[in-house]
Amino acid sequence: MQLSVWTYEGPPHVGAMRVATAMRGVHYLLHAPQGDTYADLLFTMIERRDARPPVTYTTFQARDLGKDTADLFQRAARDAYSRFDPQVMLVGSSCTAELIQDDPAGIAEAMRLPCPVVPLELPSYSRKENWGAGETFYQIVRHLADRGVRPAPREARRPLVNILGPAALGFRHRDDVREVRGILDTLGIEVNCVAPLGASPADIARIGAADFNIVLYPEIGDSAARWLEREFKQPRTKNIPIGVGATREFIAEVAALAEVDPEPALEDGESRMPWWSRSVDSTYLTGKRVFVFGDATHAVAAARVAHEELGFEVVGLGCYNREFAREVRDAAKLYGVEPLITDDHLEVEDAIAAAAPELVLGTQMERHIAKRQGVPCAVISAPVHVQDFPARHSPQMGFEGANVLFDTWVHPLVMGLEEHLLTMFREDFEFSDDAGASHLHAHAPSQPIRHAELVSASSPQPDTPNQEEDWTPKQVRGDGENSIWTAEAEAELKKIPFFVRGKARRNTESFAAEQGRAAIDLETLYDAKAHYAR
Amino acid sequence: MKADAFSLPAESGCSAPSEREVLRAPVLRERGQREVFCGLTGIVWLHRKMQDAFFLVVGSRTCAHLLQSAAGVMIFAEPRFATAIIEERDLAGMADCHEELDRVVDRLLARRPEIKQLFLVGSCPSEVIKLDLGKAAERLGAKHAGQVRILNYSGSGIETTFTEGEDACLASLVPVMPASAPDAAPQLLLVGSLPDIVEDQFLRLFAQLGIENVGVLPARTADGLPAVGLNSRVLLAQPFLGETAQALEARGAQRIDAPFPFGAEGTTAWLKAAAQAFGIDEMHANSVIAPGRERAKRALEHHREKLAGKRISFLPDSQLEVPLARFFATELGMEPVEVGTPYLNRKLVARDLDQLPESTRISEGQDVDRQLDRVRADRPDLTVCGLGLANPLEAEGLSTKWAIELVFSPIHGFEQAGDLAELFARPLRRRDVLQV
Ligand code: SF4
Ligand code: SF4
């Protein structure tokens, strides 16, 4: 048994729902008790979908157990077919149904429904959401792809590709697809199908017509793409176009596979990120310590952008999905950090505290952790939250995606010039410790976490925009009572701007501990400063 | 207190349907797909109410994900609930499972010394593999005796629907309530978890009425658990507490029959029923109740214009549907078209059910697709439904109100009557205001 408070991923059948909901003409019959219907709200509330997910739950009860749960499943299958008239039906079990072993696949097959049925075996007690999505998509492709469909001869036509991986409840999938389509357009490449997002079973049947596959989210698209590579001889892309460098490599890779000239897409006049990063105000970004955590694909990409394109120092890198741990391990080597592969948020919290970053790039979970630790944070990965579905176009991929990354990662940090001014005016009453930077709203009431607990219950959203502002630099304020600091050193510490004071305190304390110094006086403080100077 | 105070009022249970009810069309019973949370969800408000209690669900990743999604958050570092997620290797052997559970509980209690009550909460998977949490609670309770009270109940979706989780939780507390002394003074037991602010309002009113001995279930802390016995009169604050009421009756308590305390009239009748049961002078009771009642009426006046004449449908959710429909019908002039409830406890909601218009369709259980067909055909002005259905209905042009807010927000009593009306008026007002 694993004790879990918050989870990064839902059960695998939620992954299957993300695929079914993304597609058209698909219905998912899930053998599950009534409480499992909560999953609908993920789609209708978080993603604001205007229709129910295409899922029928059998909602068996205790009194049905041992006699007619299988019967119930049959009835539900018949009703769902006649009501929704799907072109394909997915059938499977949730965690509870897996235990009662009704064999939905067998029952559905015996029923000879008038549409193709794709049985899903998603082991709930060992697998999780991303795996469930990947497996479901793979099964759909395997069952529906028409083996007779192959690319037409290349003469007299444009290259044709599939875009694989985008799904419902994905982190900015909608906007990424638009960016990638833009790139393909510029290169003169046509899209055969985007799947699962927006694809119909007929689209999947014709998947073999494409020359190759573009895999945007390996967590969801990779199994299917590998199978297509084996069975249909369709090559697949390996670059994920997040960041300027990766986007350029992606363009080169795609152009090579399509045998077209990459230049038109490479010279994108809308790519502002490189200049924004080189401009003089960004100097203060140099060497900012950043901790990165998310799904493997987004975390690895974010670490690269942070390191190469913003000049940050990556002080932590990890992911919650073990299936892709290898990619994270390889990347961690590049930055000389210990990879953190875990789905235990308390472990992540400890790792962040230990790394003492100046910026956290993570999921909504890390956003809360960072909030508690008084560190700014930007969200880079699922699990998603209602705020991750902005009304405006806000991609992560392509050159526009890189522009977005610059804005969203740099914004939470204190601006360069401002940092300077704050230091200059720190004696001014307006800049007293309790005032803090106005954009961090550190002057908000100081018990937001308790308070937020109350409010959270009335809202289906992780928190309201107001609480977002409730950003309390706890550690910055928590000047220790019976500390080993001498009065003089303590006073000196107070002169350091509040937004770096917490780090200075931590650094000095760990330096003192390392050096075995009993007290922290002025000497120790400045020795530590010299020690950590970069 | 005079002995005859206890003989009032007689119960009007389901065995004796009232005249009005005879005229009503029979209850529509549905047995199809349900679209309602399971009883685990109650943990979201129960853990806030019982401040030294921890809720440990023994279940699957789905259960953990449900709690997280229903709580809607990852806000606080360590809330007082968690899930012990059963994994593949636990399913291999039963002995293993109990050992694992002991390990998890020991670690948890070591980490959280402030915890005084621990609920082991059963789920569908734990029920299906027949993991005996009663036995586990006994074993662990003995081990941690003196430090923590360990109880168990099931919040599983195969046995409980949404608010029935609270019922199961409170029922699990009944056996450990102390027995009141044989000569104890008459006691009022207020049963059902209410936000503290509402509970305090009621306690003040009971004190003003002259009811001195009042116990509250659930108590805010472990040591506040009230006694129960022949001297206890149970006043339910929530309509979904059938099992708890029965368990209390089995220990000698008697239930006071009353409508539920929503709005000016519901709250008045509820308080009066309590006053009557305690032989409080009617004039005195009226004078205590009058100011709050008047305030509530004034507050409701603001919303009358918006709500009167509007047609409303309730989809089954919290079992609050019947009392709330009563409130909106009799106090705000709304017209309940369909009142769906996951389970109709006729005995407990009799006084509210009686007041619903004859034209109102009452449905019990659910077949969500057929229910939505009826909503589309009825086209009510407002549909009260779960979070999974709200946006899809809005997209079809139907205004909705999220039912879940009704269990998370203070809505009972005089001082909240206006807020309750406001919750329902807001979607309608918004619809009028928007020009996009
Ligand atoms: S319905 Fe059962 S399996 Fe699903 S969340 Fe509730 S208790 Fe867990
Ligand atoms: S809000 Fe104030 S401190 Fe923050 S960025 Fe803007 S000007 Fe600077």
Side-chain angles (χ1 to χ4, degrees):
Chain A
M1 274 179 208
Q2 188 202 359
L3 189 68
S4 156
V5 181
W6 306 120
T7 66
Y8 287 93
E9 292 183 74
H13 70 256
V14 167
M17 284 181 70
R18 290 178 55 189
V19 171
T21 305
M23 292 182 65
R24 291 176 294 130
V26 173
H27 200 84
Y28 183 17
L29 177 59
L30 184 62
H31 205 18
Q34 60 183 341
D36 292 8
T37 60
Y38 79 89
D40 284 359
L41 78 87
L42 305 172
F43 299 89
T44 64
M45 296 304 294
I46 296 179
E47 201 173 1
R48 299 178 211 256
R49 281 192 172 257
D50 61 3
R52 294 166 63 207
V55 181
T56 292
Y57 306 80
T58 56
T59 63
F60 56 85
Q61 295 179 293
R63 60 167 182 244
D64 305 317
L65 291 181
K67 36 186 219 291
D68 52 5
T69 50
D71 198 52
L72 193 68
F73 183 89
Q74 265 187 19
R75 238 177 306 140
R78 218 172 288 122
D79 288 354
Y81 181 80
S82 62
R83 179 175 281 269
F84 299 104
D85 190 21
Q87 295 156 46
V88 168
M89 191 113 109
L90 311 178
V91 299
S93 296
S94 76
C95 53
T96 308
E98 189 180 331
L99 296 172
I100 61 180
Q101 300 181 330
D102 273 338
D103 184 22
I107 301 174
E109 197 192 340
M111 287 179 71
R112 305 188 169 283
L113 288 167
C115 70
V117 171
V118 177
L120 300 175
E121 295 265 351
L122 309 175
S124 309
Y125 298 91
S126 54
R127 297 298 196 163
K128 289 179 281 192
E129 177 179 334
N130 272 328
W131 184 89
E135 170 70 11
T136 301
F137 183 50
Y138 160 68
Q139 291 298 346
I140 289 175
V141 170
R142 214 175 59 107
H143 276 82
L144 302 184
D146 183 340
R147 286 168 184 271
V149 176
R150 293 291 149 116
R154 263 308 300 274
E155 299 80 56
R157 74 165 171 92
R158 295 170 139 202
L160 198 58
V161 297
N162 301 312
I163 298 179
L164 306 184
L169 277 183
F171 188 76
R172 308 291 166 84
H173 290 191
R174 169 198 76 190
D175 301 346
D176 287 347
V177 168
R178 184 169 132 191
E179 283 308 306
V180 170
R181 273 181 178 276
I183 291 173
L184 297 175
D185 245 13
T186 316
L187 293 174
I189 298 173
E190 273 178 35
V191 176
N192 179 49
C193 95
V194 178
L197 194 62
S200 68
D203 295 334
I204 303 287
R206 298 199 33 82
I207 207 163
D211 299 307
F212 62 98
N213 290 312
I214 291 176
V215 183
L216 292 188
Y217 309 101
E219 275 84 354
I220 299 171
D222 219 34
S223 307
R226 282 170 191 269
W227 182 81
L228 288 166
E229 190 171 43
R230 276 198 312 276
E231 302 291 321
F232 283 71
K233 306 286 172 272
Q234 286 173 324
R236 64 191 160 95
T237 59
K238 290 164 194 91
N239 286 289
I240 308 297
I242 296 180
V244 172
T247 298
R248 297 178 69 90
E249 286 161 19
F250 170 81
I251 291 169
E253 183 185 24
V254 168
L257 286 170
E259 295 164 20
V260 299
D261 176 15
E263 276 315 310
L266 288 174
E267 53 202 38
D268 187 319
E270 299 296 302
S271 175
R272 282 173 287 271
M273 199 264 216
W275 170 240
W276 256 239
S277 195
R278 283 175 193 283
S279 69
V280 68
D281 188 71
S282 296
T283 313
Y284 78 102
L285 299 177
T286 317
K288 288 262 184 212
R289 299 161 58 79
V290 55
F291 189 101
V292 185
F293 194 86
D295 68 35
T297 300
H298 285 86
V300 169
R304 176 174 173 191
V305 174
H307 180 76
E308 293 181 4
E309 300 178 13
L310 288 161
F312 291 158
E313 182 191 350
V314 176
V315 295
L317 175 60
C319 74
Y320 56 79
N321 51 336
R322 276 170 206 287
E323 294 88 346
F324 288 79
R326 183 146 52 94
E327 284 78 349
V328 171
R329 291 208 175 89
D330 292 347
K333 271 191 214 118
L334 291 178
Y335 311 111
V337 295
E338 198 52 42
L340 177 65
I341 316 293
T342 180
D343 63 351
D344 180 347
H345 67 100
L346 294 175
E347 225 176 288
V348 179
E349 177 151 20
D350 292 345
I352 292 178
E358 292 161 276
L359 176 68
V360 173
L361 301 175
T363 69
Q364 292 293 336
M365 206 90 80
E366 283 68 45
R367 191 169 66 85
H368 287 289
I369 293 172
K371 205 193 270 187
R372 282 195 292 275
Q373 297 190 6
V375 185
C377 176
V379 175
I380 57 156
S381 157
V384 288
H385 165 298
V386 69
Q387 288 172 0
D388 299 323
F389 291 92
R392 65 175 188 278
H393 182 56
S394 185
Q396 303 286 290
M397 294 185 173
F399 294 120
E400 179 60 17
N403 296 338
V404 169
L405 296 185
F406 183 91
D407 290 349
T408 45
W409 298 3
V410 169
H411 181 89
L413 300 168
V414 180
M415 299 293 174
L417 245 185
E418 282 176 350
E419 188 167 318
H420 203 67
L421 293 175
L422 281 170
T423 313
M424 231 159 96
F425 289 115
R426 66 171 176 258
E427 306 282 72
D428 194 304
F429 70 96
E430 296 247 26
F431 287 99
S432 74
D433 293 358
D434 290 335
S438 52
H439 77 307
L440 296 178
H441 296 265
H443 47 293
S446 59
Q447 284 117 5
I449 292 171
R450 286 281 124 200
H451 175 70
E453 225 183 308
L454 241 180
V455 182
S456 70
S458 66
S459 149
Q461 304 154 10
D463 51 13
T464 65
N466 281 341
Q467 284 156 41
E468 170 83 305
E469 322 281 70
D470 274 346
W471 190 94
T472 306
K474 217 174 21 184
Q475 297 183 343
V476 177
R477 290 181 184 184
D479 301 33
E481 296 92 43
N482 46 0
S483 74
I484 57 165
W485 290 72
T486 66
E488 207 184 2
E490 188 78 54
E492 194 76 1
L493 184 69
K494 289 226 165 84
K495 296 177 193 160
I496 296 172
F498 68 91
F499 48 83
V500 287
R501 193 180 307 144
K503 193 177 68 165
R505 176 185 287 281
R506 279 192 299 273
N507 283 352
T508 311
E509 283 171 359
S510 51
F511 175 78
E514 254 169 49
Q515 302 273 314
R517 302 199 190 180
I520 298 176
D521 51 12
L522 274 183
E523 196 79 356
T524 319
L525 178 63
Y526 283 108
D527 284 348
K529 185 167 191 288
H531 178 80
Y532 287 104
R534 41 175 193 246
Chain B
M1 171 90 36
K2 296 184 301 288
D4 66 352
F6 287 126
S7 56
L8 293 163
E11 288 220 342
S12 71
C14 53
S15 46
S18 69
E19 244 169 78
R20 290 184 58 107
E21 220 180 305
V22 178
L23 300 172
R24 187 191 302 287
V27 170
L28 181 62
R29 292 217 161 68
E30 299 266 49
R31 265 202 77 180
Q33 179 188 324
R34 290 171 165 246
E35 178 93 14
V36 196
F37 291 145
C38 60
L40 294 185
T41 325
I43 292 171
V44 177
W45 63 88
L46 287 168
H47 91 282
R48 295 206 46 78
K49 182 70 198 174
M50 301 189 228
Q51 293 175 4
D52 55 6
F54 194 101
F55 293 79
L56 180 64
V57 175
V58 182
S60 63
R61 178 166 299 281
T62 316
C63 308
H65 202 232
L66 161 105
L67 274 177
Q68 169 166 333
S69 309
V73 257
M74 309 169 223
I75 276 220
F76 29 122
E78 291 197 67
R80 288 187 314 280
F81 61 80
T83 308
I85 297 183
I86 299 171
E87 294 168 306
E88 207 155 42
R89 55 196 182 87
D90 300 311
L91 295 172
M94 215 36 42
D96 196 4
C97 242
H98 278 283
E99 272 168 38
E100 283 285 294
L101 186 58
D102 289 11
R103 182 182 59 82
V104 166
V105 168
D106 289 348
R107 223 181 52 181
L108 179 76
L109 293 178
R111 202 186 153 94
R112 308 291 298 268
E114 77 282 12
I115 298 303
K116 297 283 172 265
Q117 334 182 45
L118 173 68
F119 291 93
L120 302 178
V121 187
S123 66
C124 305
S126 79
E127 300 289 329
V128 169
I129 65 171
K130 300 208 170 12
L131 184 59
D132 189 343
L133 292 182
K135 216 156 97 194
E138 240 172 67
R139 182 180 65 238
L140 286 159
K143 188 166 168 190
H144 297 276
Q147 190 205 344
V148 194
R149 173 161 68 214
I150 302 184
L151 298 172
N152 78 290
Y153 72 89
S154 171
S156 82
I158 53 177
E159 285 156 320
T160 60
T161 301
F162 198 24
T163 48
E164 284 174 336
E166 174 173 336
D167 190 20
C169 173
L170 300 195
S172 80
L173 281 162
V174 174
V176 295
M177 289 165 78
S180 35
D183 56 348
Q187 174 216 38
L188 178 69
L189 261 185
L190 175 61
V191 180
S193 81
L194 294 169
D196 289 352
I197 185 169
V198 178
E199 189 179 297
D200 290 339
Q201 289 165 9
F202 285 149
L203 293 178
R204 279 198 298 274
L205 283 167
F206 294 140
Q208 285 168 24
L209 284 170
I211 305 177
E212 281 145 18
N213 186 3
V214 183
V216 180
L217 185 71
R220 293 178 202 184
T221 56
D223 54 14
L225 195 62
V228 62
L230 288 169
N231 64 328
S232 305
R233 294 294 169 272
V234 171
L235 186 61
L236 294 182
Q238 304 279 21
F240 44 73
L241 298 173
E243 200 195 321
T244 307
Q246 254 183 19
L248 289 166
E249 280 164 356
R251 291 199 56 183
Q254 284 179 42
R255 188 176 64 84
I256 299 171
D257 191 36
F260 286 89
F262 297 110
E265 301 312 327
T267 309
T268 297
W270 186 74
L271 289 168
K272 280 194 167 175
Q276 222 175 2
F278 281 76
I280 308 290
D281 173 64
E282 205 182 325
M283 294 280 282
H284 174 63
N286 284 340
S287 72
V288 168
I289 290 170
R293 178 182 194 184
E294 287 315 310
R295 262 198 310 277
K297 280 182 154 171
R298 277 201 306 277
L300 292 178
E301 248 347 278
H302 296 304
H303 301 289
R304 240 198 120 73
E305 194 196 339
K306 189 85 251 168
L307 294 174
K310 292 288 190 312
R311 301 165 67 249
I312 185 169
S313 281
F314 289 82
L315 267 52
D317 203 69
S318 60
Q319 288 191 46
L320 287 166
E321 295 82 12
V322 169
L324 288 178
R326 192 286 305 160
F327 163 70
F328 284 105
T330 64
E331 301 192 36
L332 287 158
M334 293 183 84
E335 185 193 323
V337 181
E338 172 164 342
V339 177
T341 183
Y343 173 66
L344 184 65
N345 190 327
R346 283 173 175 277
K347 198 160 100 184
L348 298 191
V349 299
R351 300 291 206 88
D352 287 294
L353 194 57
D354 284 358
Q355 297 181 58
L356 289 182
E358 277 155 28
S359 58
T360 301
R361 187 191 310 128
I362 310 283
S363 64
E364 183 185 20
Q366 192 170 25
D367 183 325
V368 67
D369 290 309
R370 287 171 45 169
Q371 186 143 35
L372 291 174
D373 289 346
R374 292 199 297 276
V375 169
R376 288 180 189 118
D378 293 338
R379 292 204 74 81
D381 297 296
L382 193 62
T383 305
V384 188
C385 63
L387 292 171
L389 300 173
N391 267 335
L393 286 174
E394 292 278 350
E396 292 182 33
L398 292 153
S399 287
T400 60
K401 169 80 222 107
W402 309 336
I404 195 156
E405 226 170 330
L406 302 169
V407 294
F408 288 159
S409 323
I411 56 169
H412 294 70
F414 290 137
E415 315 306 342
Q416 284 66 237
D419 303 340
L420 176 54
E422 162 68 15
L423 283 181
F424 285 66
R426 197 180 300 145
L428 296 176
R429 219 174 39 236
R430 182 164 182 76
R431 159 153 282 211
D432 293 347
V433 163
L434 288 187
Q435 299 189 26
V436 295

